[in-house]
Every structure is written in C-alpha cells, then in structure tokens.
Amino acid sequence: MQFCANKLDKKDFFGKSDPFLVFYRSNEDGSFTICHKTEVVKNTLNPVWQAFKISVRALCNGDYDRTIKVEVYDWDRDGSHDFIGEFTTSYRELSRGQSQFNVYEVVNPKKKGKKKKYSNSGTVTLLSFLVETEVSFLDYIKGGTQINFTVAIDFTASNGNPAQPTSLHYMNPYQLNAYGMALKAVGEIVQDYDSDKMFPALGFGAKLPPDGRVSHEFALNGNPQNPYCDGIEGVMEAYYRSLKSVQLYGPTNFAPVINHVARYASSVKDGSQYFVLLIVTDGVISDMAQTKESIVNASKLPMSIIIVGVGPAEFDAMVELDGDDVRVSSRGKYAERDIVQFVPFRDYIDRSGNHVLSMARLAKDVLAEIPEQFLSYMRARGIKPSPAPPPYTPPTHVLQTQI
C-alpha cells in the first residue's frame, strides 16, 4: 500500500510538520495493537510516504471488515510526537484501491469538540493497493514439484586411514563411523522429501581401481551410467563398499560434484524439479576459487547445497561458502541467491561421538534454509505452484435397481 496526505495541520513553530502514520489492528476486546509505522517525511504538510508491505494477518487478523485505525503524527526529535489526527478504515475499504472512497479526513477529536467551525486536520489518500498471495514450499510439493537429492562424500586422505580408529572413515564392524552417522541421520531427514527415494551417490578425492586414477566425481556403486542407490540404506551400503575398494587421496575439490548436479538442474528450469546436493566432508577444501565460481553459477539454477562438516576441523571455509553473512562471490560476480547451508555435525552429537543428541534439532538445522532458497528461485522465475490434484477417493459401487 502507499499513502499520501494533503493540508495537514502545521505543528512546528519553525517550518511545517514532519508527518508519519501509525497503523493499528483492532483486537477482539476493542483494544488496538500497533502493526505498522511509516517513515517520517520532513517539513511538509503534503507528504507522500513510501509504499510498504504488510501481511493481511498483521493488519486485520484476516478479518476484512475489522476496524483499522490510522493515526497521523508530527515527529519531534525529543520523542514527544504531536498528534495531528486519526481516521479508521478496513481491509475491504482499502482493497477498492485508489478511488474517492479511499480519501480520509484526518480528525482530531479534541479540536472537533472545541471548535464549531473545525472540519478536519487534513486528508490522507490511498495511492495504491496490491495484494499478493504468499505461497509456501509445501504448495509446490503438493502441486507435484519433485525434489532430487544427490549425496557426495569426501574420500580425501585428510580424513585419516580407514583402518585406524582415529579416522573419520574408520571401518568399525560394530558401529557407524562419523561419515556413516552423518549420512544416516541427515539422509533419513531428506529422503522424506524425495518421491522416488533413489539417490545418486558420488565420491570425490580418491584413487580408483584398477589403475589408480584420481577422481573428483565417481559413482559410489561403481556404475557411472547409473549412480542411483535405493534409499539411504542403499547409499550406506555403496559407501562402505567404496571404502574397501578405493584409496583415499586428494586434493579436496568440491567444484566437480557441484557442477555435476548443476548440469542436471540446468536442464529443468520450469519449476517441476529442484535439486539438493548433500556434501559430507571434513571441511579441508583445495579448490575454493573454483567452488565459489560453481556456487555463483549454480545460484541461477533450481538447486541448493547442504554441506555437513564431520570431524574436529576449523570450518572457516565452509562458513564462508554458507553465505549467510556475506553473499558468495567469484571474480566480482555475486551469487544471485544464497544456496548453501553449512551444518557442523559435531554440534549435534554427544561426547563419545556415537549418538546424535537430538534428531529433531539436526533435522531442523539441516533443512532450515531449503524452503526459503527454493521459494527464492521460484519467485525470481515467476513460477507458481501447480494446483494440487484432488484427494483420491475410492470408486463407489452403485447398485443398479431394475424398475
């Protein structure tokens, strides 16, 4: 909405008034709660305020006929703002938009009581009114948007020799290692959103049999044509099988697996699919510049990246990639939107390192930014959710009766 005013009362001794508006929602008990304040427009009796956005719930609790009270004040530096006057309206009235109905007389009840000739202390006019329906992440899921998860696991030597108990990849016959725990915990959270539960699972930073070439995107199940694993259990099996056959090596390059998923994401930009890459890593990264470049390019695509850091390292580089404080940039180009979420797994496990303290808290933090990242892509591309299909009703058998 945007408002302007005309011929407001002059309240300042030197100069005119410095007007601002205060909006109040009325409550069930007749009291009023402040829900919006405009900025102050200095030294004028005919201010034009900037347009502002407010949710219908905050403005009138979704009740279109409920009273909305608006007070007009003259701003004073010492905080003792002078009351110019007030008027009331409702969502239904405002929704008529700019018209003769939306010009309001600003009345000061005290002045009205005292002066016979008093008509008003100026007028406030609605200049524009626009309503947008906020759609949610689940509206898209209900409408059939598919979420595709890809898992990428760090097989670099900095994780430690898998035969040693200190290794994050330790092959312990009795319990899950750090990677296994993180994969299982985070995987069980994300698989609920993936309709076919088939996950491409990749590894990076290892020497592969038979010839020992180093790969930064290899299929964990050994089948590059079809790297899909069945559910998180399938990913875990392929992970443990790979550990037995590959040699941990390096360097730690993230860009290839990011670009791998970006290739798929760039082929479906119509909002029917969204891709999430889950990278599980010890956080030591070798190709920071290339990774930033890949993230900046991927920020234009329907994809997000969740980085789960395992082990005790300092994860400064991962926090930088997360882009919450400073948006990721590469060669002067900034990421169009924030697409990376970093979660240090050690914050969620007990001292022994064998148990996740709270799966619910981990789930919340892992998925915290995905809905907003997803919506920011859809909004920027103007993609609306498809209508949800009608709920399934079993066919009813009608008995034919002979007349």
Side-chain angles (χ1 to χ4, degrees):
M1 298 186 277
Q2 187 179 19
F3 291 87
C4 69
N6 290 91
K7 298 185 180 157
L8 293 174
D9 284 356
K10 174 177 175 318
K11 287 284 185 187
D12 289 346
F13 195 65
F14 304 106
K16 298 168 182 166
S17 294
D18 304 318
F20 66 96
L21 300 177
V22 184
F23 289 74
Y24 295 88
R25 170 179 75 242
S26 61
N27 303 315
E28 271 71 7
D29 62 0
S31 64
F32 285 93
T33 304
I34 182 167
C35 59
H36 182 74
K37 251 187 205 167
T38 67
E39 77 284 7
V40 177
V41 181
K42 290 286 182 71
N43 199 25
T44 174
L45 303 179
N46 303 301
V48 178
W49 289 281
Q50 286 172 17
F52 65 91
K53 249 185 179 174
I54 185 171
S55 76
V56 173
R57 197 171 65 198
L59 188 63
C60 62
N61 209 14
D63 174 353
Y64 290 5
D65 297 302
R66 181 179 294 213
T67 301
I68 296 165
K69 183 170 77 165
V70 185
E71 294 180 342
V72 188
Y73 284 94
D74 163 41
W75 176 86
D76 281 331
R77 180 169 280 109
D78 64 3
S80 62
H81 311 310
D82 302 318
F83 178 66
I84 294 175
E86 64 186 20
F87 63 91
T88 60
T89 178
S90 69
Y91 176 87
R92 197 176 298 284
E93 282 181 65
L94 292 169
S95 66
R96 291 166 155 179
Q98 191 183 13
S99 67
Q100 76 267 28
F101 302 111
N102 277 316
V103 179
Y104 298 93
E105 287 197 75
V106 176
V107 174
N108 183 334
K110 275 189 188 160
K111 275 194 176 180
K112 195 173 184 175
K114 281 184 194 159
K115 295 183 183 172
K116 283 226 161 56
K117 282 191 171 165
Y118 176 82
S119 59
N120 62 44
S121 295
T123 56
V124 167
T125 303
L126 176 70
L127 291 175
S128 65
F129 183 93
L130 177 72
V131 190
E132 290 174 353
T133 307
E134 289 270 294
V135 287
S136 74
F137 175 59
L138 288 178
D139 290 330
Y140 288 90
I141 303 296
K142 284 179 193 154
T145 296
Q146 304 282 329
I147 306 267
N148 302 303
F149 279 95
T150 299
V151 180
I153 298 177
D154 180 342
F155 279 86
T156 55
S158 56
N159 287 285
N161 176 352
Q164 309 273 315
T166 50
S167 170
L168 297 169
H169 281 304
Y170 179 47
M171 290 210 253
N172 183 338
Y174 304 109
Q175 63 190 51
L176 294 175
N177 62 25
Y179 275 81
M181 272 181 72
L183 261 180
K184 190 173 165 57
V186 176
E188 283 175 353
I189 293 157
V190 297
Q191 75 176 351
D192 289 341
Y193 291 89
D194 192 303
S195 43
D196 64 3
K197 312 261 184 284
M198 296 296 289
F199 302 112
L202 309 171
F204 57 92
K207 281 188 167 180
L208 306 188
D211 52 0
R213 67 183 178 87
V214 175
S215 172
H216 296 293
E217 46 167 321
F218 60 92
L220 292 190
N221 65 3
N223 182 349
Q225 274 65 51
N226 184 6
Y228 289 85
C229 300
D230 190 354
I232 270 316
E233 288 309 311
V235 175
M236 303 284 285
E237 275 172 43
Y239 159 65
Y240 280 113
R241 264 210 313 280
S242 284
L243 262 187
K244 294 189 178 106
S245 64
V246 306
Q247 182 194 343
L248 302 193
Y249 204 67
T252 311
N253 293 353
F254 284 12
V257 289
I258 295 173
N259 296 339
H260 174 101
V261 175
R263 280 197 295 277
Y264 289 94
S266 64
S267 65
V268 274
K269 295 184 192 161
D270 61 357
S272 63
Q273 306 203 29
Y274 192 86
F275 295 79
V276 178
L277 168 61
L278 176 63
I279 300 177
V280 191
T281 175
D282 69 352
V284 182
I285 181 170
S286 320
D287 66 338
M288 193 67 171
Q290 290 87 336
T291 292
K292 283 182 173 176
E293 176 84 356
S294 300
I295 289 170
V296 169
N297 293 335
S299 69
K300 301 185 191 72
L301 302 173
M303 74 178 273
S304 285
I305 301 165
I306 300 170
I307 302 174
V308 176
V310 292
E314 281 303 316
F315 289 117
D316 300 355
M318 302 299 107
V319 172
E320 187 180 335
L321 294 178
D322 191 318
D324 280 351
D325 301 326
V326 181
R327 185 68 58 87
V328 174
S329 65
S330 170
R331 296 190 292 183
K333 264 194 347 216
Y334 281 84
E336 193 178 293
R337 50 196 189 93
D338 173 20
I339 63 165
V340 183
Q341 164 75 339
F342 168 66
V343 177
F345 193 63
R346 59 165 173 241
D347 290 359
Y348 302 85
I349 48 180
D350 66 359
R351 287 242 173 90
S352 71
N354 299 330
H355 298 286
V356 175
L357 291 167
S358 162
M359 279 300 280
R361 191 168 71 93
L362 177 67
K364 187 166 160 285
D365 293 355
V366 164
L367 295 174
E369 295 182 19
I370 297 285
E372 195 36 58
Q373 291 176 4
F374 174 101
L375 288 170
S376 72
Y377 176 81
M378 299 299 178
R379 277 199 292 264
R381 299 294 178 284
I383 299 166
K384 301 267 183 276
S386 306
Y392 173 74
T393 45
T396 51
H397 296 293
V398 181
L399 291 172
Q400 299 272 306
T401 51
Q402 249 84 39
I403 295 171

